[in-house]
Amino acid sequence: MREVRISNTGSLLELSRRLRAAGGENIRQSMHRRIRRAAEPLKDDLTSTMRGLDIRSQGRGQGKRGGPSLNDRPLRATIADAIRISVRTGASPGARVWIDRGRLPAGYENIPHQLNIGRLRHPVFGNRRRWVNQYATPLWWDATVRRHTPRMEREVARVLDDVRRRLE
């Protein structure tokens, strides 16, 4: 799964240096908060898209029965809860939206990437001799990010302009 980064490295690095030199802690906190606010609608949209993602099965064969689930939490909710934002204003400034694999159950680390591709192949209830395919809307992550990118770039540019004006 690809992470999303909001950055204009040259401008952000220059402003970060100027903020440190000016000692403007209040300005830095404001910039941090506003960049985070620019990324939050993307995170919210990614979370709601994941929770509503259509995942279809190839169907159960005749005479086949189910079994206990290996996880007690629903898959979509588990992945949606693992979507995170981080904002940095120091050495490598910018915002990042990503899926925190550490918050996913063991064995689920690659599932968000597989769902973004559109096909999830997994063993049936842990039986590694029987595998099944499930299908999801392909590129759900990429399409959501593409919808939000122009707005986020405008917001970050506005924040940078405001900070530059306050430093002058």
Side-chain angles (χ1 to χ4, degrees):
M1 180 67 43
R2 290 185 293 197
E3 61 189 32
V4 182
R5 291 179 186 261
I6 305 169
S7 61
N8 179 352
T9 310
S11 297
L12 285 171
L13 280 172
E14 173 216 339
L15 276 180
S16 184
R17 280 190 217 110
R18 288 174 62 188
L19 278 171
R20 258 184 269 124
E25 190 59 35
N26 189 20
I27 298 172
R28 184 180 301 163
Q29 287 174 349
S30 173
M31 182 172 98
H32 185 277
R33 185 176 55 252
R34 289 178 64 192
I35 290 174
R36 182 177 211 47
R37 239 185 281 149
E40 282 175 351
L42 171 62
K43 178 194 178 275
D44 294 343
D45 198 9
L46 285 168
T47 301
S48 66
T49 301
M50 171 45 70
R51 288 184 190 278
L53 190 65
D54 182 31
I55 302 175
R56 298 167 305 284
S57 175
Q58 67 187 29
R60 189 179 293 170
Q62 188 168 351
K64 307 291 182 193
R65 294 184 312 188
S69 175
L70 298 177
N71 187 8
D72 59 349
R73 288 201 63 211
L75 175 67
R76 293 178 195 94
T78 302
I79 294 172
D81 291 342
I83 298 173
R84 295 280 178 252
I85 298 176
S86 68
V87 177
R88 295 180 59 175
T89 55
S92 59
R96 182 172 81 129
V97 179
W98 84 104
I99 294 180
D100 184 358
R101 292 180 176 195
R103 295 188 55 93
L104 295 174
Y108 281 47
E109 294 87 0
N110 201 34
I111 289 179
H113 175 69
Q114 291 178 353
L115 288 174
N116 192 47
I117 290 172
R119 178 176 162 239
L120 173 62
R121 182 171 164 74
H122 62 91
V124 177
F125 297 107
N127 179 355
R128 301 196 71 68
R129 289 180 286 157
R130 290 197 52 225
W131 289 73
V132 66
N133 291 314
Q134 287 185 291
Y135 303 95
T137 306
L139 303 176
W140 65 272
W141 178 275
D142 298 348
T144 306
V145 168
R146 225 180 349 260
R147 275 196 318 267
H148 284 269
T149 299
R151 182 198 51 79
M152 289 186 307
E153 288 173 346
R154 285 191 309 271
E155 288 290 321
V156 170
R158 188 177 308 128
V159 169
L160 295 177
D161 288 342
D162 290 349
V163 171
R164 265 194 209 100
R165 265 185 265 141
R166 287 178 72 179
L167 286 174
E168 291 174 353

